[in-house]
Amino acid sequence: MKEEHKKHKQDNHCAKEQEKKCACEEECTESCNCPHEKVEERQNSEIENLKNQLAEILNEKQSLLEKLQYSKAEMINYRKRKEEETDNKLKYANQDLILEILPVLDNFERAIKLDDNILTDELSKFLAGFKMMYASLCEVLKKFGVEEIDCVGKEFDANTMQALMTDNDPNFEDDVVLEVLLKGYKLKDRVIRAASVKVNKLDK
């Protein structure tokens, strides 16, 4: 009788343990109903967001880099322009003064073209002094880069000359400069006064 009671107790205990186990398994199953797929989707979504953020950061970085390179190029170009402007100002700094001197030079040339044979001794000496001053003035201008434009016998060049008169001389080719009416000058590589010339124009 005691053994039957003991066995009954054991059977009850096993049944309770089995119930607990089933309940535990059921609980586990319910808790595992939070699907792996949803977890994976959430993880994939987070990874995708991170990728998008990284792409945005890289795009922003590239944009800033391009702006920086553009600004750097602009600064270099600006510096070059300023240096070129400064160089030109220094190079042609005397242009206005020289332009004022050129008419004086023209007057000197007109004076020394006088025929020395028809002058008195006193005027001849005076003219000789003029010639010396003219030569000195030409030397000074030459030191500052002033150069006379060579025209006679050359083909007419509209960049350095202006035609005030024409002639028809068969001894010269068409468009050749026959005479300089007013000398032209360059300051270094810049024309500061075009030469006024007579140009040959042959009938065609």
Side-chain angles (χ1 to χ4, degrees):
M1 192 72 178
K2 283 183 181 180
E3 287 179 4
E4 287 179 7
H5 181 66
K6 187 176 179 180
K7 186 180 178 185
H8 181 66
K9 268 180 100 180
Q10 284 177 347
D11 289 342
N12 284 340
H13 178 72
C14 287
K16 285 180 181 178
E17 286 295 325
Q18 187 66 33
E19 285 177 10
K20 282 184 184 179
K21 187 176 178 183
C22 291
C24 183
E25 285 176 356
E26 188 176 339
E27 209 173 297
C28 281
T29 305
E30 286 178 2
S31 66
C32 286
N33 273 344
C34 184
H36 271 318
E37 293 178 4
K38 288 188 178 179
V39 173
E40 193 173 340
E41 282 178 13
R42 188 165 62 249
Q43 287 175 343
N44 289 338
S45 177
E46 288 176 359
I47 290 170
E48 193 63 32
N49 285 336
L50 289 172
K51 283 182 179 178
N52 291 336
Q53 288 176 17
L54 180 61
E56 287 177 7
I57 290 169
L58 290 174
N59 287 336
E60 188 175 355
K61 177 189 172 185
Q62 184 62 30
S63 176
L64 290 172
L65 184 61
E66 288 174 0
K67 286 180 181 177
L68 180 62
Q69 289 173 338
Y70 178 78
S71 298
K72 187 178 179 181
E74 279 291 301
M75 183 61 68
I76 291 170
N77 290 335
Y78 173 76
R79 192 182 299 121
K80 284 181 179 177
R81 285 195 302 269
K82 294 306 289 182
E83 286 174 357
E84 189 176 341
E85 286 175 11
T86 303
D87 289 343
N88 283 336
K89 282 180 181 178
L90 292 172
K91 190 175 182 180
Y92 307 111
N94 300 313
Q95 180 173 324
D96 292 340
L97 176 61
I98 290 167
L99 285 171
E100 293 292 328
I101 292 173
L102 289 182
V104 178
L105 194 66
D106 296 335
N107 289 331
F108 267 106
E109 288 176 351
R110 292 187 189 101
I112 63 178
K113 282 179 181 177
L114 292 173
D115 189 355
D116 200 16
N117 294 322
I118 63 172
L119 301 176
T120 63
D121 290 344
E122 189 176 344
L123 284 175
S124 291
K125 290 177 183 177
F126 188 71
L127 184 58
F130 254 62
K131 288 178 180 179
M132 289 176 64
M133 286 188 288
Y134 171 76
S136 297
L137 184 56
C138 287
E139 282 300 315
V140 170
L141 292 175
K142 190 175 180 181
K143 285 180 182 178
F144 283 92
V146 179
E147 179 186 351
E148 183 183 331
I149 298 171
D150 188 17
C151 299
V152 176
K154 306 287 185 182
E155 187 177 355
F156 177 76
D157 179 7
N159 294 315
T160 59
M161 311 169 195
Q162 54 179 349
L164 295 187
M165 297 176 66
T166 60
D167 201 351
N168 186 354
D169 191 336
N171 296 316
F172 295 93
E173 293 183 4
D174 188 49
D175 247 10
V176 167
V177 175
L178 300 174
E179 183 184 349
V180 175
L181 306 173
L182 184 66
K183 287 183 178 180
Y185 292 92
K186 285 182 180 180
L187 175 58
K188 297 178 177 156
D189 56 355
R190 176 187 286 180
V191 175
I192 58 173
R193 189 174 82 178
S196 299
V197 297
K198 181 194 288 186
V199 182
N200 198 37
K201 287 292 181 184
L202 298 177
D203 294 331
K204 295 182 180 179

